[in-house]
Amino acid sequence: MSPSPSAEQPPVAARSAYKERLNLPWWLWLAGLVAAALLAVEIWMGASGVRAWLPFAVLVPLTAVGLWWLGRIRVGVADAELRVDDARLPVRFVADVVPLDVAGRREVLGVGADPLAFVVQRPWIGGAVQVILDDPADPTPFWVVSTRHPVELAEAVLTARDALAATHPTAGEPPG
């Protein structure tokens, strides 16, 4: 018995279509560590004993951990889900995805922003996507997610949604 073609390759929805980590740029790392070192020097101010080394031993590593934590967010499309850090959005609930530049992101998140929207925004990243939802059970109207490649992320989400709809025509319909 020969294996079926689907056994050789994983289904389209199971493959990872997009991955990105929202790291801080090198210049923010440099600015943060220099600021921590300057603060440590201010605390030290020529003192001897514990005050000579403790500010450097505490402030610089804590700043490095804080900067790493700010850049820990991962964005991806895999297994028919949009994944943003720990949040998961099944692509069957996606109505549309709009790539946003800096001005578009500012407009979506500006004065008239919807308070129920799910937002993961990083100010050092210019682009974003707005994922418009079609889920009557969820009050969240849309997601706004920062990304360095808004067009590629939008295409990956829409491709995953279309592939899911092609393989499971009733995936977007409510059970009943």
Side-chain angles (χ1 to χ4, degrees):
M1 190 177 213
S2 66
S4 68
S6 62
E8 295 172 9
Q9 292 183 355
V12 174
R15 285 183 271 164
S16 178
Y18 184 86
K19 285 183 187 177
E20 179 181 11
R21 185 169 175 171
L22 304 180
N23 290 326
L24 270 75
W26 66 269
W27 55 270
L28 274 176
W29 277 91
L30 181 63
L33 293 174
V34 165
L38 285 173
L39 183 59
V41 167
E42 287 289 326
I43 294 171
W44 165 59
M45 294 296 285
S48 60
V50 172
R51 275 190 50 202
W53 58 268
L54 188 61
F56 296 98
V58 172
L59 290 176
V60 174
L62 280 178
T63 301
V65 167
L67 292 170
W68 170 84
W69 184 81
L70 285 173
R72 79 191 188 291
I73 301 292
R74 294 181 189 273
V75 176
V77 178
D79 300 328
E81 289 182 326
L82 170 61
R83 299 175 180 184
V84 181
D85 198 21
D86 293 335
R88 305 281 191 262
L89 174 65
V91 294
R92 71 178 180 267
F93 296 121
V94 173
D96 197 12
V97 182
V98 180
L100 302 171
D101 59 0
V102 175
R105 185 188 67 187
R106 187 178 305 119
E107 184 177 331
V108 169
L109 298 177
V111 175
D114 192 321
L116 296 177
F118 175 79
V119 178
V120 175
Q121 187 253 350
R122 295 295 183 248
W124 57 87
I125 297 176
V129 294
Q130 180 182 21
V131 182
I132 300 166
L133 304 182
D134 183 23
D135 183 6
D138 188 357
T140 306
F142 57 85
W143 285 24
V144 177
V145 179
S146 289
T147 177
R148 289 183 176 89
H149 311 285
V151 174
E152 290 86 350
L153 179 56
E155 289 174 354
V157 172
L158 292 174
T159 301
R161 180 197 65 187
D162 295 344
L164 182 66
T167 58
H168 304 317
T170 61
E173 298 175 7

